[in-house]
Amino acid sequence: MPLHGRTAIVTGSTSGIGLGIARALAAEGADLVLNSFTDSAEDHALAQGIAAEFGIRARYIRADMADGAACRRLVAEAGGCDILVNNAGIQHVAPIEDFPVAKWDAILAINLSSAFHTTAAALPGMKARGWGRIINIASAHGLTASPFKAAYVAAKHGLVGLTRTVALEVAGQGITANAICPGYVLTPLVEAQIPDQMKAHGMDRETVVREVMLLRQPSRQFATTGQIGGTAVFLCSPAADQITGTTISVDGGWTAL
Ligand code: NAD
């Protein structure tokens, strides 16, 4: 179990990519802190289920990643961590002139500022132990732009910049910071959009996925949450000890275009 004895905090890990990463790290033996902004019985049951499935310790801690102080409290309540995965993120699509200010502020807070706060809180413990992995879940939109996604694109570009800066500040101390940049990943959120897209375009599932949703993804295939989890596991392996301050695209060729 290569990650036995390591503790990972994964923000926004009750669904989608965060949950996929949490499961992949647990499969390698890491103890987990799962997180979202809710505090339901299902949230805690999810952690208990993963703990039982993989024979690791797991708990759920509620913290709203829109709130900087709550981000720092999450790390403190977890007792620090060896692996920090900044994954929580939201999206809103609108032309700049109509972009609601509250949405801009929320996206910048959750998709970018939360990583600043959790990283600042996690680094002292990582430095003391001489080992740490910071994995920021950016996006193909951290490297390229799309219209109507001003806040998301700005936040994800910012997250890539933050990743590089953190990597430089801790270089040589056993701590790496990298960003994974997924293209379109088949999460429950994306899956739920398929029926509407089929209706709107009058296409069957396969055609709407290939011709509409995956237009910018040359492989014309979704990435999976398991593949993003596998990439995170790789970044925690000794093979990745000298990989820092960089981005790893898992985007079916999107950013090669
Ligand atoms: P998702 O909606 O399935 O999961 C998001 C998670 O974040 C959920 O657990 C949600 O509860 C949590 N969350 C949302 N707001 C929060 C808050 N304020 N505080 C704490 N937790 C909060 O989304 P996903 O598709 O799995 O996306 C996860 C990350 O991956 C995001 O940062 C997203 O930008 C990025 N990403 C997704 C795709 C994709 O195609 N799905 C592609 C590239 C990047």
Side-chain angles (χ1 to χ4, degrees), residues 44 50 68 71-72 94 107 115 130 132 152 158 205 207 211 213 223 233-234 242 253-254:
H44 294 275
I50 293 177
C71 295
R72 289 171 187 257
I107 291 174
Y152 189 84
R205 180 189 162 94
T207 312
E211 304 302 334
M213 300 180 78
V233 166
F234 165 67
Q242 291 301 318
W254 179 328

Side-chain angles (χ1 to χ4, degrees), residues 28-72:
E28 299 293 309
D31 293 327
L32 289 181
V33 173
L34 299 179
N35 154 264
S36 185
F37 59 93
T38 52
D39 197 11
S40 67
E42 292 90 68
D43 294 329
H44 294 275
L46 182 67
Q48 293 327 308
I50 293 177
E53 183 178 348
F54 295 103
I56 51 110
R57 289 185 298 179
R59 61 190 175 125
Y60 175 85
I61 300 178
R62 185 202 105 87
D64 184 351
M65 292 298 104
D67 173 352
C71 295
R72 289 171 187 257

